[in-house]
Amino acid sequence: MKISIDPHPLLDTVLLHSRWPTNLGEVSTLDSLDKWFSSGASSPLSPQDDIKLKVRNLLRYGGFKPSGRSKPASEYLIGAVEKGRMGSINPAVDCCNVASLHSGLPISVVDIERGQGPWRIGLAEKGVDYVFNPAGQVIDIGCLVVLFDHHGPCGGPVKDSQRTKTHPETRETISIIWGTVDLPSRSQETAAWYRELLTQCGATVTEVRPTGPTDHHA
């Protein structure tokens, strides 16, 4: 799989490609899921100062305003845990949510077979939006760094597009850890633990090495 990344002064991303042994609807999730979703749970990732501010600064580059309903997905997870609203969705999403919650970094997970290459990471143009849930709600992602496929934007650090979200028949996923250079090594540490979680659920995981922006139409 090839993914190109446009030049970005703050983005420090890691891309993980996961192949699942069978349909996600037939794969058991993490045994320790309730523990990871409990308030105050510890993880292999040590706390770091100003993660929230530094992640928001990443999203602000280009002109996006990461607040309110457009706050980073990692902040949403913290609030959901505090309110006792976290539960299992499927192994791919559960592992994503655990790693994002404890790292403080937003993470996207996309069904590869629902998208179509070429794949690219870059800034969305002003005014661009997409549907992000089954109810048809739309989010404005203009000026935000996001994942694109042949048909347009399909994932990002706030909410992923409904068009390429995982489902019970999903067999292959790509995960994007939306890290920042202002948190040195955080993306790599998160990816290492995230990969362990995915492997525990039976996925075969490989890191995708991004290509340069000149390869967009290869």
Side-chain angles (χ1 to χ4, degrees), residues 142-154:
C143 305
L144 178 66
V145 61
V146 295
L147 174 69
F148 295 83
D149 74 346
H150 173 74
H151 300 288
C154 59

Side-chain angles (χ1 to χ4, degrees), residues 75-168:
E75 291 185 33
Y76 166 81
L77 293 173
I78 293 172
V81 167
E82 291 174 347
K83 296 174 183 177
R85 295 178 178 175
M86 289 300 294
S88 178
I89 297 175
N90 64 49
V93 176
D94 294 346
C95 291
C96 170
N97 285 345
V98 168
S100 180
L101 172 68
H102 290 276
S103 69
L105 302 181
I107 302 176
S108 292
V109 58
V110 169
D111 183 324
I112 293 175
E113 294 180 342
R114 283 193 162 184
Q116 180 182 350
W119 301 84
R120 174 176 67 91
I121 290 174
L123 294 179
E125 294 184 2
K126 188 174 182 178
V128 172
D129 58 26
Y130 55 49
V131 173
F132 67 87
N133 66 12
Q137 289 183 288
V138 173
I139 181 173
D140 184 343
I141 56 165
C143 305
L144 178 66
V145 61
V146 295
L147 174 69
F148 295 83
D149 74 346
H150 173 74
H151 300 288
C154 59
V158 177
K159 299 180 188 298
D160 293 328
S161 169
Q162 182 65 27
R163 175 171 65 85
T164 53
K165 280 187 178 180
T166 60
H167 55 101

